[in-house]
């Protein structure tokens, strides 16, 4: 093979690899049914808060996603968090899982002392194929010894695809200046979205969970989402047909809503 | 019937051997070492250990050979051992018995021989207070035989009830027992090595072989292990113990061996294993067993799943197995305190209403206490103090500063008043008024004001305790 032929071959291989990493098969076209199924069954999500104070919103979005994966095939949700992240932003609170349609027994929490342990536990959990979804929350994006974070996350994403696992990396707020690392189209930046406000009168009640999502993946990777544009989504939207989870990710909605129960004094 | 081997170690009680704490630690180490003869080994402070060797003596060539072996191995501590049917009699013989070792072994179940041997011993062998022993001697009651046949009431009235309580225990009239360092295992398997083993792969292979032995025992009894311990005896007397727990009854030898491999990896990483000159005995014990029919509850698997002919039921059962295996392995590697599940507690105090427990422990049946208000997704274990501005001292906040940033309140719900648990004596906290707050950026916080204005506090303090997703 001529040198030019060799470079063409390498280019073809690179293209095939990028398609595989993007969640589709080697022969998948843009957004065919096979690619959609592959993305649903095996996906690595990278979710980042737009600002440090949006960390809770990003957590809620990640958990809403995990809850829908759990609803689909069961297995519960594994939440792997580093001690420092929990101390800095609070630990998951059992009664607070109910709006996400998760019971206390549906969630297993792993509290890790080091970032490296979070990655190790995440990899083990992906391979175990025991959970409906795995949420990893490291306090930093340091890699493991001898393996930098981009390489590590690339490997974890590949492992998730191979094992058919759904893994969600919840990026630490302090990493907001670092680029997204996951080699999949499922990369989202989340910020809190204000509830609708009346123009005048007394202060309203806070609304239900709602997010402003920026998709950073390639165009067309997620139906209905334009890259780098801001999209608003609710946990329980008024129009269920247009929900991000049901349309873009083919995940069904939780069966009930939780309405406001109190009043301003 | 129990057979008690009491070992007297005079050098361990010598004040020149170190501080009381050091001597106590040395005694515990010796008791641990003695567990190579039987799992039922207890320290007998301040100067001895006691073992129940019933059913174990034949492994070392019989009772006389076991006694000789223990004495020779502990010779540097000046060991003197005795064997009897009661721990008190063995204790007395070890310290006050004849020089000849065979004479310090009393035949099993022979009450007359026991009485004859004890009668010749001094009253101090009753292990009563030195003052009482001296007083008895001064009245001419120098040997145990001197008091055995005398009326009890006068002696009890003058020297206390302890004298005959000890005597009855010594003669087996009152049942007494030892308190082993560790609880007796349900099943035990062990391997002894002529040449000590140091290599990790040999240790792993031995544990796998022992797990196979245990599996056979458990299968016969329709049980599975919930708690296991690997005990490694080093040739120099040090003992290493590694514990593992499982989230469901387990008797698959490969799964058990895998658990210990994970655990030993973690132990080895911290240099706590330290094989030194090697291990000459490795023991694997089931500390707690359960019927294997009992399956882990929660997270999916129900009995009906196994009876379900459809693929879904089988897949669910398979997933539950994978989950239990994962929880066991991770608990072994990182520690059970790091792999947790949520549990509800019967209280309205938010930070106490939900806790966590090791996932390998059986899940409690308690359900969360129903609450009226919404609860946050993330909660601080210790609420963080904030500066809040309100229109009136007992009104809702208009603005608050948290982590140096001012947040303007755009939407609010509350207050939800949570009173302290006045029916508990230790409850000294103040009433809290909780508010669900949304700032102008849409971020949702859970704030509370501590103390009722004018009644409990003149300047109530504000805290942020959690966040909504």
């Amino acid at each position: 093979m001529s040198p030019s032929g060799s470079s063409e071959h390498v280019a073809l291989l690179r293209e095939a690899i990028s398609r595989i990493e993007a969640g589709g098969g080697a022969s998948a076209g843009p957004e065919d049914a096979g690619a959609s199924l592959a993305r649903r069954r095996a996906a690595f999500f990278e979710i980042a808060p737009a600002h440090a104070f949006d960390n809770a919103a990003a957590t809620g979005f990640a958990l809403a996603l995990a809850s829908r994966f759990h609803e689909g095939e069961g297995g519960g949700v594994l939440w792997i968090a580093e001690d420092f992240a929990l101390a800095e932003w609070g630990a998951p609170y059992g009664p607070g899982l109910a709006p996400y349609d998760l019971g206390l027994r549906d969630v297993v929490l792993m509290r890790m002392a080091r970032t490296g342990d979070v990655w190790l536990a995440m990899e083990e959990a992906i391979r175990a194929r025991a959970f409906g979804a795995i949420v990893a929350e490291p306090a930093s994006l340091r890699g493991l010894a001898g393996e930098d974070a981009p390489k590590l996350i690339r490997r974890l994403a590949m492992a998730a695809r191979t094992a058919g696992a759904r893994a969600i990396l919840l990026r630490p707020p302090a990493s907001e200046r670092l680029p997204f690392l996951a080699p999949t189209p499922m990369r989202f930046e989340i910020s809190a979205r204000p509830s609708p406000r009346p123009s005048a009168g007394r202060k309203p009640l806070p609304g239900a969970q709602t997010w402003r999502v920026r998709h950073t993946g390639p165009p067309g990777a997620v139906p209905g989402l334009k890259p780098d544009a801001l999209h608003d989504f609710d946990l329980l939207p008024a129009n269920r047909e247009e929900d991000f989870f049901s349309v873009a990710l083919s995940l069904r909605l939780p069966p009930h809503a939780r309405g406001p129960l109190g009043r301003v004094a | 019937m129990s057979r008690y081997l009491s070992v007297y170690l005079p050098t361990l009680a010598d004040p020149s051997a170190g501080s009381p704490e050091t001597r106590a630690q040395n005694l515990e180490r010796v008791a641990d070492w003695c567990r190579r003869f039987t799992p039922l080994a207890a320290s007998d402070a301040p100067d001895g250990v006691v073992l129940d060797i019933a059913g174990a003596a034949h492994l070392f060539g019989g009772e006389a050979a076991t006694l000789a072996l223990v004495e020779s191995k502990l010779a540097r501590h000046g060991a003197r051992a005795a064997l009897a049917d009661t721990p008190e009699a063995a204790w007395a013989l070890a310290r006050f018995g004849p020089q000849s070792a065979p004479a310090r072994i009393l035949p099993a179940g022979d009450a007359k021989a026991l009485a004859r041997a004890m009668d010749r011993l001094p009253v101090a062998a009753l292990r009563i207070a030195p003052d009482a022993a001296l007083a008895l001697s001064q009245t001419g009651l120098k040997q145990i035989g001197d008091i055995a046949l005398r009326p009890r009431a006068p002696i009890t009235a003058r020297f206390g009830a302890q004298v005959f309580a000890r005597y009855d225990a010594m003669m087996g009239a009152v049942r007494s027992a030892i308190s082993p360092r560790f609880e007796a295992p349900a099943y035990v398997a062990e391997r002894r090595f002529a040449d000590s083993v140091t290599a990790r792969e040999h240790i792993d292979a031995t544990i796998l072989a022992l797990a196979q032995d245990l599996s056979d025992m458990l299968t016969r009894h329709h049980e599975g292990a919930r708690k296991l311990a690997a005990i490694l005896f080093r040739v120099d007397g040090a003992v290493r113990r590694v514990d593992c727990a499982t989230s469901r009854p387990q008797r698959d030898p490969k799964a058990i061996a895998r658990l210990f491999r994970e655990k030993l990896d973690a132990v080895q990483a911290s240099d706590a294993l330290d094989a030194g000159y090697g291990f000459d005995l490795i023991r694997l014990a089931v500390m707690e067993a359960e019927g294997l029919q009992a399956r882990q509850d929660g997270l999916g698997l129900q009995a009906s799943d196994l009876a379900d002919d459809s693929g879904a039921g089988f897949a669910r059962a398979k997933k539950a197995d994978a989950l239990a295996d994962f929880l066991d392995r991770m608990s072994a590697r990182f520690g059970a305190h790091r792999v947790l599940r949520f549990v509800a507690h019967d209280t309205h105090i938010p930070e106490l209403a939900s806790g966590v427990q090791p996932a390998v422990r059986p899940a409690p049946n308690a359900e969360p206490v129903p609450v009226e208000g919404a609860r946050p997704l993330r909660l601080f274990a210790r609420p963080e103090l904030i500066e809040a501005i309100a229109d009136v001292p007992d009104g809702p906040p208009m603005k608050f500063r948290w982590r140096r940033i001012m947040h303007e309140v755009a939407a609010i719900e509350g207050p939800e008043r949570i009173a302290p648990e006045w029916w508990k004596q230790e409850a000294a906290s103040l009433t809290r008024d909780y508010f669900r707050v949304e700032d102008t950026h849409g971020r949702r916080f859970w704030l509370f004001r501590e103390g009722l204005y004018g009644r409990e506090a003149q300047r109530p303090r504000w805290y942020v305790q959690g966040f909504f997703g």
Side-chain angles (χ1 to χ4, degrees):
Chain A
M1 187 180 280
S2 67
S4 60
S6 174
S7 63
E8 284 167 14
H9 189 66
V10 169
L12 281 171
L13 283 174
R14 280 186 178 147
E15 192 183 331
I17 288 169
S18 65
R19 275 205 305 271
I20 291 168
E21 289 177 350
S27 61
E31 277 319 307
D32 62 2
S36 174
L37 184 68
R39 191 179 57 248
R40 288 204 307 274
R41 290 190 58 80
F44 189 95
F45 292 75
E46 187 174 3
I47 292 171
H51 184 274
F53 286 108
D54 291 317
N55 192 45
T59 307
F61 183 81
L63 203 62
L65 197 56
S67 160
R68 282 158 171 78
F69 286 135
H70 162 63
E71 270 187 64
E73 289 184 28
V77 175
L78 174 66
W79 191 331
I80 309 164
E82 194 172 339
D83 283 342
F84 185 79
L86 299 183
E88 191 70 3
W89 294 102
Y93 186 47
L97 301 172
Y100 298 88
D101 218 36
L102 289 168
L104 296 186
R105 294 181 181 185
D106 295 328
V107 180
V108 172
L109 173 67
M110 288 184 74
R111 300 187 64 134
M112 299 286 106
R114 293 179 291 268
T115 305
D117 290 345
V118 174
W119 302 130
L120 289 173
M122 189 180 191
E123 187 160 12
E124 289 284 349
I126 287 170
R127 287 183 182 159
R129 304 177 192 211
F131 294 95
I134 301 150
V135 180
E137 187 186 7
S140 76
L141 287 179
R142 279 194 294 270
L144 281 166
E147 195 174 25
D148 58 11
K151 191 175 165 188
L152 174 77
I153 289 170
R154 191 184 180 87
R155 183 161 60 79
L156 288 171
M158 294 294 274
R161 192 180 68 84
T162 307
R166 278 66 59 95
I168 301 165
L169 169 63
L170 187 56
R171 286 168 61 108
S175 66
E176 57 199 4
R177 289 182 186 168
L178 294 175
F180 279 82
L181 301 171
T184 69
M186 298 300 169
R187 304 190 296 256
F188 303 102
E189 187 180 86
I190 309 296
S191 52
R193 176 185 163 213
S195 304
R197 311 221 194 290
S199 54
R202 63 192 304 181
K203 281 196 169 61
L205 297 171
Q209 284 85 351
T210 178
W211 304 282
R212 188 154 281 164
V213 177
R214 188 170 71 86
H215 178 228
T216 66
V222 180
L225 294 193
K226 292 177 187 168
D228 291 321
L230 293 174
H231 303 268
D232 291 343
F233 296 105
D234 297 345
L235 182 65
L236 292 162
N239 181 359
R240 294 184 167 213
E241 295 302 315
E242 293 178 0
D243 176 58
F244 162 72
F245 297 107
S246 58
V247 174
L249 300 173
S250 304
L251 296 168
R252 74 187 179 87
L253 290 160
H256 63 270
R258 187 184 170 91
L261 296 165
R263 288 277 165 202
V264 175
Chain B
M1 184 183 203
S2 297
R3 292 286 283 163
Y4 294 99
L5 181 75
S6 177
V7 189
Y8 175 44
L9 304 159
T11 60
L12 286 184
D14 189 346
S16 64
S19 66
E21 292 77 22
T22 307
R23 280 181 274 148
Q25 284 173 2
N26 289 339
L27 188 61
E28 297 296 343
R29 285 199 194 104
V30 172
D32 277 345
W33 177 85
C34 285
R35 287 168 56 223
R36 62 181 54 225
F37 298 104
T38 168
L40 301 175
S43 59
D44 197 0
D47 58 1
V49 292
V50 59
L51 324 176
D52 182 353
I53 61 165
H58 69 281
L59 299 170
F60 305 94
E63 291 182 342
T66 305
L67 185 141
L69 184 61
V70 170
E71 282 190 340
S72 67
K73 293 282 186 188
L74 296 173
R76 67 194 172 107
H77 296 300
R80 224 168 95 99
L83 192 61
D85 285 349
T86 64
E88 289 77 12
W91 184 92
L93 272 177
R95 285 152 183 83
F96 301 96
Q99 283 298 318
S100 159
R104 279 184 265 119
I105 301 175
L106 298 184
D110 190 342
K112 287 182 181 172
L114 175 64
R116 271 199 308 275
M118 294 301 108
D119 283 353
R120 291 194 291 270
L121 300 180
V123 287
L126 285 170
R127 208 175 183 180
I128 53 178
D131 293 350
L134 183 62
L136 277 167
S137 300
Q138 286 169 344
T139 56
L141 302 172
K142 297 189 175 181
Q143 292 186 329
I144 292 175
D146 296 336
I147 63 166
L149 298 176
R150 288 184 182 273
R152 293 192 169 201
I155 294 177
T156 302
R158 186 166 172 188
F159 302 104
Q162 192 189 27
V163 177
F164 281 106
R166 291 284 187 191
Y167 179 78
D168 287 343
M170 178 182 270
M171 305 311 289
V174 175
R175 189 177 170 79
S176 63
I178 61 172
S179 302
R181 285 262 294 150
F182 296 98
E183 58 184 306
Y187 302 94
V188 175
E190 64 184 33
R191 290 279 188 285
R192 291 169 190 279
F193 305 98
D195 290 325
S196 59
V197 295
T198 52
R200 177 60 199 283
E201 55 267 33
H202 295 160
I203 295 170
D204 288 343
T206 304
I207 288 176
L208 177 60
L210 294 174
Q212 183 62 59
D213 293 350
L214 284 181
S215 175
D216 295 342
M217 295 181 215
L218 290 164
T219 305
R220 275 200 296 277
H221 292 88
H222 307 289
E223 287 190 315
R226 286 299 303 265
K227 286 185 184 170
L228 296 125
I231 305 147
L232 300 98
F233 295 82
R234 234 167 52 179
V235 288
D236 62 357
V239 179
R240 299 284 179 264
R241 179 183 166 119
V242 178
D243 288 286
C244 280
T246 65
S247 58
R248 59 183 178 154
Q250 177 65 270
R251 65 174 177 230
D252 176 11
K254 285 182 182 166
I256 293 172
R258 199 163 52 235
L259 274 186
F260 279 101
R261 207 162 45 241
E262 298 271 4
K263 188 82 177 185
L264 288 172
D265 281 342
V267 172
Q268 209 167 19
S270 63
D271 285 339
L273 190 60
D274 187 16
Y277 293 108
F279 300 106
D280 62 346
L281 168 62
I282 297 178
R283 178 181 293 158
L284 193 62
V286 176
M287 305 308 294
E288 202 176 297
E290 267 182 29
L292 194 49
Q293 287 79 9
R295 300 296 298 253
Q296 180 197 10
D297 61 347
L299 288 166
L301 187 65
Q302 304 295 329
S304 57
D305 292 332
L306 298 174
D308 187 0
D309 289 336
S310 70
F314 180 74
R316 220 174 159 198
K318 199 174 165 188
K319 208 160 198 170
D321 279 345
L323 171 66
D325 185 55
F326 175 80
L327 296 179
D328 292 347
R329 284 190 299 111
M330 292 300 101
S331 299
R333 183 188 293 187
F334 297 110
H337 64 292
R338 295 208 168 271
V339 186
L340 308 160
R341 75 164 84 233
F342 291 98
V343 288
H345 297 304
D346 187 12
T347 172
H348 287 89
I349 306 299
E351 61 268 30
L352 304 178
S354 175
V356 288
Q357 70 162 43
V360 290
R361 267 199 228 154
N365 292 321
E367 288 300 319
V369 177
V371 290
E372 286 292 305
R375 290 292 178 262
L377 177 57
R378 306 191 75 129
L379 192 87
F380 282 124
R382 299 171 71 90
E384 294 192 2
L385 193 65
I386 57 172
E387 298 168 29
I389 300 167
D391 281 344
V392 288
D394 57 350
M398 307 301 292
K399 292 178 180 179
F400 63 96
R401 186 187 299 278
W402 177 59
R403 293 189 181 175
R404 295 185 293 177
I405 302 290
M406 184 63 81
H407 300 267
E408 193 170 335
V409 175
I412 191 163
E413 180 187 6
E416 179 191 351
R417 180 158 296 176
I418 297 181
E421 294 176 326
W422 49 267
W423 57 94
K424 291 183 180 172
Q425 283 187 343
E426 67 270 23
S429 53
L430 303 173
T431 304
R432 296 176 181 180
D433 280 339
Y434 278 89
F435 293 88
R436 191 156 70 101
V437 163
E438 183 182 316
D439 73 3
T440 47
H441 296 282
R443 296 157 187 155
R444 294 160 174 85
F445 302 84
W446 206 38
L447 313 182
F448 72 86
R449 182 181 53 225
E450 188 182 51
L452 298 176
Y453 173 70
R455 278 194 283 168
E456 294 179 345
Q458 286 308 311
R459 292 190 61 189
R461 290 189 293 186
W462 284 86
Y463 295 88
V464 57
Q465 189 163 19
F467 310 97
F468 295 88

